[in-house]
Amino acid sequence: MTEIRAIHRFFPVGQGLFAAGSVEFWPPQPKPRRNINLPGQTKPAPIGPYRWVYDCGSSSGKHLVTNAITDLKRTCNGDKIDLLTLSHFHNDHINGAVELLNKIGAKTVMLPWAPLWRRLMIGFEQGLQASDPEMLFYVDPVQYFVQEAGDGFEQVLFVLPSEGEGPPFLTDPTAFPEPPEDGDEPDKPSGHGQPVSYGDLEGAYGHLDHRVRILRPGEAIAVYRVWEFLPYNDPVTEQDDPFDFVGKVDSYRGALLNGNEDERQNALDDLRALFEAIFGYGAKMNNVSLMLYGGAVGNWTGRRGRIYFYRNHVRNSRFYEAHETRGAILLTGDGNLKDPEKWESLTTYLDVRRAMRTSVFQVPHHGARANWHDGLAALASPMTSIFSSDPRHSYGHPHAEVLRDFWPFGAVQVDQQAGFSVRIHLER
């Protein structure tokens, strides 16, 4: 018998998002050589865990993220996160990322690829000035992480727009990994994606090519050959640009990416003034969000699982029924699922058979009506629907109509006081 043990967890950060989890694989008993059964033979040690994080931020209070990072660090046993995914570039999803990299670290930081002009628009929309240290993230995210986190990460993986077909859906794992030899550490996946010159990717000379990789359309991240993470970068996110803001950014590209600090700040000052003149204060540019599916490869049977609810540090739990066999998670960040066509595009890329395996579904944009359409809950049909938001916040998330739609599908509110996690055991 082989087994996968997965954890999906949402931390109580209020208006924001901080999800994490792990995947552990228990390999089958090795076949005895020459058909000789040795007395006292024990089951092989597990491979893993492979640890992941999706977003790390809050607008309800930075201390909430700090507390969650401290909590997560206790479970990492000194190991780095294997995969840190940032869905998009808004403060309530990323303002704890540097702290996480410095306190825990990550082997791979995965970001949706967005061109320079679009990143700048998102930064300006949030009110950032040229002198703000965070503005460097929008100019050059790799250099920003180098400056702020140093050795806290090993590589940045950019996910290109998810055009065309997604990875094939496999009915069986490609192969079970061999158990490690005695005394050896389990071989964890590394080096996701393909190497690329950052200069070629960004259109300027750039820096630190050896720490930059790309994930092309149709590629997934394989974990121990029994689990996969499949990102989806919505390709239909083009911003209207009637006054050629893109062309203006291109004219400053050299100063922004290769210039000194003064040259960069002067370029940013000019572009910010141009942005305000063209789009006005309060323009909404949140049209990038990297969604992430995580699930088992092949057909597995759900043996048992346990759901944990946290409120004010008091934990309650319950077992779920053995017939729950799906075990996958679908994280949407602030993704746009405002009409059935958006959902169809997502599930076509994932393959509807993956989407049907979703047990835990993070409702997009904290339950905002603008990113949802009536009937979305029935299409997703999860066992648990997570609303990561702060109902007391001025945004008023989740909106009532969205909550009503997901209420029959295990709606769970994660806020400043309440967290959620689920442990899932799959076997074959």
Side-chain angles (χ1 to χ4, degrees):
M1 183 185 72
T2 61
E3 187 176 356
I4 295 173
R5 299 183 183 180
I7 298 173
H8 309 319
R9 184 176 184 185
F10 291 81
F11 291 97
V13 294
Q15 188 72 19
L17 183 61
F18 187 179
S22 63
V23 180
E24 194 173 67
F25 174 62
W26 292 71
Q29 184 80 27
K31 293 182 180 180
R33 296 179 180 178
R34 300 179 183 177
N35 296 321
I36 299 175
N37 290 317
L38 300 176
Q41 195 173 36
T42 59
K43 185 176 181 179
I47 301 175
Y50 181 98
R51 296 183 174 91
W52 59 267
V53 167
Y54 183 85
D55 283 349
C56 184
S58 171
S59 61
S60 294
K62 189 62 163 49
H63 68 284
L64 298 169
V65 181
T66 296
N67 293 342
I69 291 173
T70 301
D71 191 357
L72 179 62
K73 184 177 181 179
R74 284 194 290 266
T75 70
C76 289
N77 300 317
D79 294 331
K80 288 183 177 179
I81 300 298
D82 291 280
L83 179 66
L84 166 61
T85 301
L86 300 180
S87 67
H88 66 294
F89 310 131
H90 270 187
N91 194 52
D92 61 329
H93 291 252
I94 65 172
N95 64 4
V98 168
E99 182 179 357
L100 185 144
L101 291 175
N102 283 317
K103 289 186 176 179
I104 302 177
K107 295 181 180 179
T108 297
V109 180
M110 186 163 69
L111 305 171
W113 172 250
L116 175 61
W117 64 268
R118 187 175 294 168
R119 299 198 306 266
L120 292 180
M121 291 176 79
I122 296 172
F124 292 150
E125 173 219 337
Q126 296 182 91
L128 290 174
Q129 303 290 333
S131 58
D132 292 327
E134 295 83 4
M135 194 64 212
L136 179 58
F137 174 78
Y138 299 88
V139 175
D140 187 338
V142 178
Q143 191 63 23
Y144 176 76
F145 285 133
V146 170
Q147 177 177 297
E148 299 296 326
D151 295 330
F153 74 103
E154 297 178 10
Q155 67 175 26
V156 172
L157 179 65
F158 289 107
V159 179
L160 299 184
S162 302
E163 300 173 307
E165 296 183 355
F169 178 83
L170 302 176
T171 57
D172 287 296
T174 54
F176 287 133
E178 292 293 327
E181 297 291 333
D182 292 341
D184 290 345
E185 290 295 324
D187 182 22
K188 291 188 175 182
S190 61
H192 301 306
Q194 303 172 20
V196 65
S197 167
Y198 194 42
D200 292 342
L201 183 64
E202 193 64 278
Y205 182 74
H207 307 279
L208 298 168
D209 288 356
H210 68 283
R211 298 179 79 167
V212 178
R213 301 174 78 91
I214 60 171
L215 197 69
R216 299 186 184 278
E219 294 181 340
I221 293 174
V223 179
Y224 313 133
R225 289 175 284 184
V226 298
W227 190 272
E228 60 183 350
F229 286 105
L230 176 53
Y232 176 75
N233 184 3
D234 187 351
V236 188
T237 57
E238 194 71 22
Q239 183 71 36
D240 292 335
D241 184 24
F243 300 100
D244 193 28
F245 183 77
V246 175
K248 302 298 192 301
V249 171
D250 282 342
S251 69
Y252 284 96
R253 184 176 295 273
L256 290 167
L257 296 175
N258 300 320
N260 59 37
E261 187 65 24
D262 287 340
E263 291 171 330
R264 178 186 295 151
Q265 290 218 4
N266 289 336
L268 287 172
D269 284 335
D270 290 348
L271 288 170
R272 177 171 176 80
L274 182 64
F275 171 84
E276 292 178 351
I278 292 175
F279 300 102
Y281 181 77
K284 297 299 182 184
M285 304 298 166
N286 183 20
N287 58 0
V288 176
S289 196
L290 186 67
M291 304 185 200
L292 184 64
Y293 167 89
V297 176
N299 296 317
W300 297 75
T301 301
R303 183 159 64 109
R304 64 184 185 274
R306 192 161 195 162
I307 296 175
Y308 297 86
F309 300 92
Y310 306 83
R311 181 164 291 277
N312 294 324
H313 307 291
V314 176
R315 185 173 74 171
N316 296 305
S317 65
R318 64 175 174 83
F319 283 101
Y320 63 73
E321 298 296 327
H323 67 261
E324 170 55 46
T325 62
R326 295 174 289 179
I329 186 168
L330 182 55
L331 298 145
T332 63
D334 281 2
N336 188 346
L337 296 174
K338 65 179 182 180
D339 53 51
E341 289 74 23
K342 285 288 189 182
W343 175 256
E344 183 178 359
S345 296
L346 169 62
T347 55
T348 297
Y349 186 80
L350 295 181
D351 191 303
V352 69
R353 290 170 291 183
R354 286 188 178 94
M356 289 173 62
R357 293 183 169 196
T358 301
S359 289
V360 178
F361 179 77
Q362 177 247 317
V363 180
H365 203 178
H366 320 289
R369 65 173 69 91
N371 296 59
W372 156 91
H373 68 274
D374 190 18
L376 175 61
L379 292 173
S381 191
M383 182 181 73
T384 304
S385 307
I386 303 295
F387 291 84
S388 184
S389 59
D390 187 347
R392 298 175 299 180
H393 200 283
S394 60
Y395 293 122
H397 298 152
H399 290 144
E401 55 268 49
V402 185
L403 184 58
R404 283 195 297 268
D405 190 31
F406 280 93
W407 195 256
F409 297 93
V412 172
Q413 176 66 58
V414 173
D415 50 35
Q416 291 191 40
Q417 288 79 36
F420 170 86
S421 71
V422 58
R423 297 175 182 267
I424 296 170
H425 292 189
L426 303 173
E427 67 179 29
R428 58 180 292 145

